[in-house]
Amino acid sequence: MRAVRSMFDTIAPRYDLVNRIMTFRMDVGWRRRTVRDLALPHGSTVVDLACGTGDLCRELAASGLHPIGMDLSFGMLAAARTTAPLVHGDALRLPVADATLDGATCGFALRNLVDLDPFFTELARAVRPLGRIALLEVAEPPNRFLRWGHGLYFGRVVPRIGGLLSDETAYRYLPKSVAYLPSPGHMLARLADAGFSDVGRDLLSHGIAQLITATRT
Ligand SMILES: C[S@@+](CC[C@H](N)C(=O)[O-])C[C@H]1O[C@@H](n2cnc3c(N)ncnc32)[C@H](O)[C@@H]1O
């Protein structure tokens, strides 16, 4: 956990810039879709876990929701550009009472959590019945040709961009860390086990990103 925190502290100052360049700004549309599919009414309180520099918090606020950002990295929180309240903390131990949140989002951080089961259990504890979650993450395209190009781009090009603008080691690790994600079927089944229904997964941009949504039973 300390290594993850220190890596994000290092890349925080240029995190947004590198994101926009390496995804050709597609990440902006993915976050918009995340908030749309969260499908909560105006005024709902939503915790954005692993909020980083606050992109999802801004998107949530723009849709009339009340976001609270939470992240482990002081560097990312310090670089955040959002008016949402920000909390330093671990997504596996939320400082809220049971069933108090209307919803939760999490962008591009599932693969940084060593074990997803405790995370899903913690989400189920904190989100109220009929509350919603939306988890955005990178993915590998199902199409073989696209997967090959995707591997080449993230394996060779992205570390170069990262090296020029930020930290090459981090941008060599980040694309590879998709390998730490359990299979989609496993993630959806574990969410259902934790106490969510309506569990669904959509592929975005031909499968280079994925969005998992669910309703607290
Ligand atoms: C790739 S960044 C994503 C930031 C942001 N959600 C976005 O959409 O751009 C991953 C973030 O997860 C945070 N993180 C990793 N493990 C965490 C944990 N256990 N609790 C809270 N934040 C964590 C890191 O500090 C980092 O800011």
Side-chain angles (χ1 to χ4, degrees):
M1 191 182 281
R2 200 172 296 171
V4 169
R5 185 163 65 187
S6 136
M7 178 181 71
F8 282 107
D9 283 344
T10 305
I11 65 173
R14 294 280 180 91
Y15 175 79
D16 291 344
L17 175 68
V18 178
N19 253 358
R20 299 299 177 271
I21 292 175
M22 77 179 178
T23 69
F24 301 97
R25 282 191 72 80
M26 282 188 285
D27 63 311
V28 175
W30 297 338
R31 290 195 186 82
R32 205 156 286 160
R33 170 76 181 270
T34 302
V35 175
R36 192 194 81 191
D37 288 7
L38 188 64
L40 279 171
H42 280 213
S44 301
T45 299
V46 178
V47 169
D48 180 36
L49 299 162
C51 66
T53 52
D55 279 345
L56 261 172
C57 286
R58 280 202 310 281
E59 210 54 58
L60 289 160
S63 296
L65 302 166
H66 293 315
I68 300 165
M70 183 172 181
D71 202 283
L72 202 62
S73 155
F74 280 117
M76 294 294 265
L77 291 171
R81 295 169 297 110
T82 171
T83 51
L86 299 175
V87 181
H88 177 253
D90 182 358
L92 300 178
R93 272 176 285 167
L94 305 182
V96 297
D98 295 357
T100 45
L101 301 175
D102 296 317
T105 52
C106 181
F108 307 112
L110 296 184
R111 69 212 137 104
N112 296 134
L113 305 174
V114 180
D115 186 359
L116 287 181
D117 283 359
F119 178 57
F120 293 161
T121 305
E122 185 60 347
L123 284 177
R125 181 192 70 75
V127 174
R128 64 161 168 81
L130 299 183
R132 296 267 301 158
I133 60 166
L135 314 174
L136 175 64
E137 193 39 282
V138 294
E140 287 183 315
N143 176 286
R144 220 166 43 160
F145 178 69
L146 280 182
R147 200 163 55 241
W148 174 78
H150 178 266
L152 205 63
Y153 177 68
F154 279 99
R156 300 269 172 82
V157 181
V158 165
R160 293 258 171 103
I161 301 173
L164 283 174
L165 296 173
S166 182
D167 180 83
E168 181 168 342
T169 314
Y171 284 95
R172 202 167 282 290
Y173 160 79
L174 281 172
K176 277 195 202 147
S177 59
V178 69
Y180 299 131
L181 278 180
S183 72
H186 180 87
M187 286 194 283
L188 302 192
R190 298 326 299 251
L191 271 172
D193 292 345
F196 289 93
S197 51
D198 273 343
V199 182
R201 174 177 180 263
D202 284 323
L203 294 182
L204 312 180
S205 305
H206 302 288
I208 59 178
Q210 58 183 319
L211 178 60
I212 295 173
T213 51
T215 304
R216 179 72 174 98
T217 310

